[in-house]
Amino acid sequence: MIKVMKKIAIIGGGASGMMAAIAATSRGARVTIYEHKDRVGKKILTTGNGKCNLTNLSLSKDDYRGNHPSFVVPVFEKFSVEDTLRFFEQLGLFWKEKNGYVYPVSNQAATVLDLLRFECKRLNIKIVTECGAVSIQPINGKKQEGFVVQDKSSKEKFDCVILATGSKAAPVTGSDGSGYKIAQKLGHSIVPVLPALTALKGKEEFFKPIAGVRVDATLSLYIENEYILSDTGELQLTAYGLSGIPVFQLSRYAIKAIKEKQKVHMVCDFLPGVRKKVLLEKIMDRKKLPMNAEEAFCGILNKKLLLHLLKQAQIKATDMVQNVSDDKLREFCGLIKQCKIPLFDYLPFENAQVCQGGVDTKELYENLESKMQKGLFIVGELVDIDGKCGGYNLQWAWSSGYVAGVCAAKKKGE
């Protein structure tokens, strides 16, 4: 019996595409990566603020979103966080972790990308860069016989195709949304695609005076006055609204609601370590002092934020605190602990880390193979799965790419 070497085309040379290529080639397949940028893995360089948060030790299915988030479970069972760490260790990576977040010891995302590139080179994986728009045509006879892949300068037949083009997030790195069109032409439906893990916009007149302030805060998201979710971390106040990791963690729900023209607001607790009752007592105690409001309360918050919240409570910084009414002081306390901020918009795909939406997981088998086209696999951000900040999206890229690469490379005897 002759073993036939599978020929596999991978469209997209990002994290999931390179992982799929390495996994497939390691199992005897001949792989070609098509990448329309001038080099592979550009988006990897931006992950983890350039440090590459490549996975998270506390990962669970609850860290993922989508119409069917449980779709991740069998994929992670086939290639887990432990498998990911073992894979990169075998490539020579030394890693460290902080609060479950895993980074290369080098603190450089380029280290992770270089290891992947060098492994692709060692395995003689063919990489076609600046390939232009790619078209995929199924070859249908009595049974499906593969695909013809055409780029701007060549046409070639493959047994399998793995779509790993990424989403629309950060298009400058190569994720321009072209994969959605390819998937649709091959029979797939797309869950509406919107930004996720990005900043949210509010009224500029509220935010401009406090632009640049960073403060540890607890944020609670409300949609149509119904509580949705909370997160705590470093909040970044900008001239247009709210940014920072806790905002990103809540943003996918806010963005979807804003798109559907629902009322969205955030309740910000700027002093999460102090109970409101205790804070109010301390504020009222300061009323005994012969000081103005700025002097009396300067130890509570960042000065710029403090003065802004005093103004919102109609208290002048120069007002003698003894003369400020109890009602205004209660309002000031309420603004510190429960500041309601309406939100109307969000930053676009160019500023998003990932997208929500994508190829409907109901149209994929557990091994990421298409139910519409035998031999077609769809992985990474192109799928309707998105994770929280913290290495979860890269883990999805590694796991989905690996599983698809292994399954695509399975050989059939003739």
Side-chain angles (χ1 to χ4, degrees), residues 347-361:
L347 293 193
F349 292 110
E350 286 77 7
N351 303 94
Q353 293 185 18
V354 297
C355 289
Q356 55 182 299
V359 173
D360 195 331
T361 52

Side-chain angles (χ1 to χ4, degrees), residues 62 180 339 359:
D62 296 330
Y180 300 122
C339 187
V359 173

Side-chain angles (χ1 to χ4, degrees), residues 368-379:
L368 285 306
E369 186 175 14
S370 166
K371 294 179 180 179
M372 313 304 188
Q373 297 282 352
K374 184 179 178 181
L376 173 69
F377 296 79
I378 303 176
V379 301

Side-chain angles (χ1 to χ4, degrees), residues 248-266:
F248 293 173
Q249 305 291 39
L250 304 176
S251 63
R252 70 138 17 236
Y253 304 101
I255 289 167
K256 188 175 181 181
I258 291 169
K259 183 70 174 178
E260 294 172 355
K261 301 191 183 305
Q262 293 179 294
K263 291 182 180 178
V264 176
H265 75 268
M266 202 80 80

Side-chain angles (χ1 to χ4, degrees), residues 201-323:
K201 293 184 177 183
K203 289 182 178 178
E204 287 190 4
E205 57 265 34
F206 178 85
F207 286 104
K208 279 186 177 180
I210 49 176
V213 171
R214 293 173 180 249
V215 57
D216 288 335
T218 294
L219 306 182
S220 299
L221 176 67
Y222 289 79
I223 297 173
E224 296 290 345
N225 293 319
E226 180 181 347
Y227 170 77
I228 304 299
L229 201 64
S230 295
D231 203 86
T232 299
E234 187 182 66
L235 170 65
Q236 298 173 27
L237 296 162
T238 71
Y240 56 79
L242 304 174
S243 189
I245 289 178
V247 179
F248 293 173
Q249 305 291 39
L250 304 176
S251 63
R252 70 138 17 236
Y253 304 101
I255 289 167
K256 188 175 181 181
I258 291 169
K259 183 70 174 178
E260 294 172 355
K261 301 191 183 305
Q262 293 179 294
K263 291 182 180 178
V264 176
H265 75 268
M266 202 80 80
V267 172
C268 297
D269 180 353
F270 295 115
L271 208 60
V274 180
R275 290 186 295 116
K276 185 176 180 181
K277 181 180 178 182
V278 173
L279 176 63
L280 183 59
E281 288 173 355
K282 290 184 178 295
I283 287 173
M284 291 302 183
D285 281 346
R286 306 296 288 174
K287 195 170 181 180
K288 303 169 187 174
L289 302 173
M291 294 180 169
N292 63 34
E294 179 182 350
E295 294 165 340
F297 304 128
C298 70
I300 297 176
L301 288 174
N302 171 286
K303 186 174 182 178
K304 189 187 285 190
L305 178 59
L306 174 82
L307 294 176
H308 185 61
L309 295 182
L310 283 171
K311 186 176 180 180
Q312 295 299 308
Q314 298 183 323
I315 301 171
K316 293 180 181 178
T318 55
D319 286 345
M320 296 304 293
V321 71
Q322 295 170 329
N323 299 328

